[in-house]
Amino acid sequence: MIFNKQTIPMKFVCAILFFPFFIYSQDFPQDYFQSPLDIPLDVSGSFGELRSNHFHSGLDFKTKGIEGLPVYAVGDGYISRIKISTFGYGKAIYITHPNGYTSVYGHLQAANGAIQNYIKKKQYEENSYEVEMYLYPSELPIKKGDVIAFTGNTGGSGAPHLHFEFRNTKSEEILNPLHFGFKKLINDARKPVIQGVVVYPLDSTVVNNSQKPIEVNFSKQSDGSYLGTKIQANGKIGFGINAHDFCTNGYNKNGLYKVKAYVNGILYYQYDFDGFAFDESRYINNFIDYERFHLMGQRVQKLFQLSNYPLSIVADNKKDGTIKVQPGANYNYRVELYDFHNNKVELIIPITFLSTETAIKKEIKKTPYFIKAKNEAIFEKENVLVQIPENAFYSNFYLNFDVANDILTLHDDSVPVHKNITITFTEAKGYAEEKLAKTYIASLDGYKLDYNKTFRKGNTFSIKTKTLGKFKLAQDEIPPRIYNVNFVEGKTITAQKTISVFVSDLQSGINTYNGYLNGKWILFEYDYKTKKLVHNLEDAICIEGRNDLKIVVTDNLQNSTTFESYFFR
Ligand SMILES: [Zn+2]
């Protein structure tokens, strides 16, 4: 649901639960907006889809595997925000519409016309590829159907596509774009598909001889529903599912829209992806079985909530989804999975009480460092200090903490972290000043060192992290590489449209990149995926005759490399 529950009296909540479509058809305009693309809409990412550390905040539309398709304003309004960043949304444009909604277009190749000129002017003013601007309504007004940009693959995009998002302009809540009349433009007659089912023995329950979560076998019946094999348990249990949805013609695994779980016909758990707030998105790590995801790469969504956490897609539930299996009782567990087009698949699992021998025992590795998730904690050994704020974790557990051979072991990545943990290495000894200046706290991934943004005070170093694992002090003294420039030094390059080089950095990564033509700053667009820096010669900074090019690239520890060359025009 998309309403703020705290402010709505209970009787209205009930009314909303009973008449959701009535409310939506009233609230969301169905014929106001047009498609952002002029090709059939092919969804490669759905709203709320389970991603790394977040729920997908929009729809991804395929762009035939290419870049450069026109992107249309879906409605009248004005460009209210533009953000150009190397990571994340890449080049993104926000249009605020007069009816209270903002549409967002991400991973763009370039903006169009006056918008592109506006961005470029800002980039040259700030001498930066990455820029962010908030605009007044009068600056770049937009009419429905205007070509605002071209599709691309910028930022954290794995293949050319358009990321398309809807927000409530005032609250900034992210809304399912399919509520805004786009549903009819998408072909989906296929039901969701269940790939796996897991049963979780909770507390000290034994399920089918196991205290550990086990997979439930199931088979498809003639009516298209799934039937699971009977569960035998002697206490509290919960279920998890690994499921996807497919559009009619696509092979992309999309997320579900709605899930409802019933026990003997009574609703025990429900979620639906109508909308959520950005600061809820990280709760995905509690929504899924994070340990299983870490170990097996499977995103199993838990259909129960052991602790109350403020994830609004499930927050309305009166029951927590767990089932207390009692002697003499039989239960019929039924799950309904829906996509946005109301295609539904059902899974039925019979449950019976049986106290069996425990063949597979739950192993709890006890350590002296028991974490109570609600409390803050501080651990210290040798010259390492770890500060954990309250509610950094979703549940209590025994943390593995040690410092040996200058390496901090702070558990492993099987436990999700919700809030920043501060790690401090104090008084690093035996380093000269030049070495201290190149020192950072690295995460150890096997033998690989991953850079963390490190704060230094004298010989004390600290980082904030949301990933557990091994950490150590490391040095990066190797400057970045600049290579494969796309012209021959001293040649005349009249036909060429761009100047490009590749940049790479072994350890801490690229931090800054600046290009100059004849001493004047020029814009280089940076794509971290291809490692390429590209300057468009149509920016018209180069002059007739000899042009001297200089490119300076630094890494995150201020190791710097300068490339110099010249060409004629
Ligand atoms: Zn996306």
Side-chain angles (χ1 to χ4, degrees):
M1 302 296 289
I2 57 125
F3 304 92
N4 184 345
K5 299 323 165 322
Q6 272 92 39
T7 60
I8 300 173
M10 202 53 215
K11 59 181 175 183
F12 295 125
V13 174
C14 293
I16 290 162
L17 289 174
F18 281 115
F19 304 107
F21 290 101
F22 170 72
I23 296 287
Y24 288 138
S25 58
Q26 274 210 332
D27 266 24
F28 298 130
Q30 293 303 301
D31 299 306
Y32 187 93
F33 297 108
Q34 72 156 71
S35 174
L37 297 171
D38 58 13
I39 56 170
L41 294 183
D42 194 352
V43 178
S44 61
S46 61
F47 183 76
E49 196 172 298
L50 314 178
R51 301 266 175 99
S52 278
N53 299 318
H54 70 283
F55 296 105
H56 189 229
S57 56
L59 294 175
D60 287 344
F61 294 130
K62 286 196 186 179
T63 53
K64 300 174 161 179
I66 55 167
E67 298 183 28
L69 303 184
V71 177
Y72 300 91
V74 295
D76 289 356
Y78 68 95
I79 308 241
S80 50
R81 183 183 174 196
I82 300 169
K83 189 172 181 188
I84 312 292
S85 56
T86 310
F87 302 102
Y89 287 56
K91 297 183 187 175
I93 293 177
Y94 298 65
I95 299 179
T96 293
H97 306 286
N99 60 349
Y101 302 103
T102 295
S103 55
V104 185
Y105 313 79
H107 307 306
L108 302 168
Q109 181 189 54
N112 188 30
I115 309 167
Q116 178 65 11
N117 296 340
Y118 189 96
I119 297 168
K120 216 153 233 190
K121 191 166 163 259
K122 185 83 171 174
Q123 288 172 319
Y124 273 95
E125 268 168 26
E126 293 195 359
N127 287 4
S128 175
Y129 170 56
E130 294 200 321
V131 285
E132 182 173 15
M133 46 215 123
Y134 291 86
L135 290 80
Y136 293 108
S138 59
E139 288 184 272
L140 288 170
I142 291 294
K143 283 271 165 236
K144 180 175 178 175
D146 282 354
V147 175
I148 55 159
F150 301 94
T151 61
N153 190 29
T154 52
S157 167
H161 75 277
L162 175 68
H163 173 90
F164 179 60
E165 206 171 291
F166 252 80
R167 298 186 188 178
N168 179 315
T169 303
K170 222 173 168 181
S171 69
E172 290 198 314
E173 185 177 30
I174 329 156
L175 302 170
N176 192 330
L178 291 176
H179 279 308
F180 294 85
F182 300 103
K183 180 178 160 182
K184 56 182 177 284
L185 303 177
I186 292 156
N187 241 328
D188 184 1
R190 283 165 76 184
K191 293 176 182 179
V193 174
I194 301 176
Q195 293 198 306
V197 180
V198 179
V199 57
Y200 294 86
L202 306 170
D203 302 332
S204 52
T205 300
V206 179
V207 175
N208 296 7
N209 304 90
S210 173
Q211 283 185 328
K212 283 187 183 175
I214 49 169
E215 280 187 41
V216 180
N217 291 321
F218 58 92
S219 54
K220 206 170 186 171
Q221 306 184 102
S222 54
D223 66 353
S225 69
Y226 295 90
L227 179 65
T229 53
K230 197 173 219 168
I231 296 297
Q232 300 176 322
N234 65 349
K236 200 170 158 187
I237 61 170
F239 288 92
I241 48 156
N242 178 13
H244 303 284
D245 183 51
F246 296 91
C247 289
T248 298
N249 301 314
Y251 52 84
N252 288 85
K253 282 182 180 176
N254 294 326
L256 306 170
Y257 165 60
K258 178 165 74 177
V259 172
K260 287 173 147 190
Y262 298 85
V263 178
N264 295 342
I266 298 164
L267 186 64
Y268 263 51
Y269 178 89
Q270 175 177 352
Y271 77 74
D272 32 35
F273 279 113
D274 291 320
F276 55 90
F278 267 105
D279 58 8
E280 295 175 36
S281 210
R282 197 174 176 85
Y283 284 116
I284 184 166
N285 292 338
N286 200 16
F287 183 77
I288 62 167
D289 176 349
Y290 188 88
E291 187 179 4
R292 193 177 187 91
F293 172 61
H294 171 76
L295 292 171
M296 304 164 76
Q298 282 177 3
R299 285 194 175 99
V300 170
Q301 29 186 303
K302 297 183 283 187
L303 304 181
F304 59 93
Q305 259 188 306
L306 287 185
S307 56
N308 242 330
Y309 59 103
L311 179 60
S312 60
I313 59 160
V314 293
D316 266 342
N317 295 337
K318 290 184 187 68
K319 293 184 181 291
D320 64 6
T322 64
I323 305 137
K324 201 153 188 219
V325 183
Q326 284 169 330
N330 287 302
Y331 306 84
N332 189 42
Y333 187 72
R334 183 165 58 88
V335 190
E336 298 172 351
L337 315 179
Y338 297 84
D339 63 24
F340 198 87
H341 288 70
N342 232 19
N343 299 303
K344 176 174 92 170
V345 73
E346 280 193 345
L347 163 73
I348 291 166
I349 305 172
I351 305 164
T352 188
F353 182 90
L354 191 70
S355 221
T356 54
E357 294 260 307
T358 315
I360 307 164
K361 285 218 160 63
K362 188 161 43 174
E363 300 148 26
I364 298 176
K365 248 181 137 181
K366 291 196 175 173
T367 71
Y369 308 100
F370 185 68
I371 295 284
K372 279 191 175 159
K374 281 201 162 55
N375 300 350
E376 58 179 340
I378 295 178
F379 301 119
E380 202 171 0
K381 192 181 172 188
E382 291 176 19
N383 67 330
V384 179
L385 179 71
V386 174
Q387 292 161 287
I388 300 167
E390 55 190 26
N391 295 312
F393 299 106
Y394 303 117
S395 49
N396 303 345
F397 71 107
Y398 288 96
L399 176 95
N400 181 18
F401 166 78
D402 195 16
V403 179
N405 304 318
D406 298 323
I407 294 172
L408 160 68
T409 299
L410 190 61
H411 211 79
D412 59 57
D413 190 26
S414 64
V415 174
V417 184
H418 194 75
K419 283 187 190 169
N420 273 330
I421 290 173
T422 306
I423 296 173
T424 308
F425 284 71
T426 55
E427 296 177 34
K429 286 182 200 80
Y431 295 125
E433 171 56 32
E434 311 86 77
K435 202 114 186 167
L436 284 174
K438 302 295 178 193
T439 298
Y440 66 100
I441 299 176
S443 297
L444 261 82
D445 179 11
Y447 290 105
K448 217 178 120 246
L449 300 174
D450 287 332
Y451 173 75
N452 293 296
K453 188 176 166 42
T454 305
F455 306 91
R456 181 193 159 200
K457 209 173 176 190
N459 55 359
T460 292
F461 300 86
S462 67
I463 58 165
K464 292 186 186 304
T465 182
K466 284 184 181 138
T467 309
L468 301 180
K470 292 186 189 301
F471 299 87
K472 67 176 275 193
L473 288 179
Q475 278 83 31
D476 179 5
E477 297 173 282
I478 305 165
R481 269 182 74 209
I482 305 176
Y483 57 101
N484 282 3
V485 61
N486 70 340
F487 63 86
V488 179
E489 185 164 86
K491 289 277 184 210
T492 303
I493 57 163
T494 4
Q496 222 163 292
K497 285 199 163 63
T498 62
I499 295 173
S500 68
V501 292
F502 289 85
V503 294
S504 70
D505 187 70
L506 268 183
Q507 284 196 24
S508 61
I510 304 291
N511 183 22
T512 67
Y513 41 89
N514 285 291
Y516 306 88
L517 260 186
N518 310 312
K520 261 192 201 151
W521 187 87
I522 53 170
L523 173 66
F524 271 99
E525 301 202 348
Y526 175 45
D527 180 15
Y528 75 97
K529 303 186 296 283
T530 56
K531 301 183 181 353
K532 209 170 179 181
L533 286 180
V534 180
H535 168 69
N536 193 336
L537 286 165
E538 282 167 11
D539 289 359
I541 309 291
C542 73
I543 51 173
E544 248 177 70
R546 181 180 161 132
N547 284 274
D548 288 294
L549 173 71
K550 181 170 150 182
I551 301 170
V552 184
V553 179
T554 66
D555 66 18
N556 281 297
L557 285 150
Q558 285 78 52
N559 297 298
S560 170
T561 299
T562 301
F563 170 85
E564 283 179 288
S565 188
Y566 67 97
F567 58 87
F568 289 90
R569 187 78 170 166

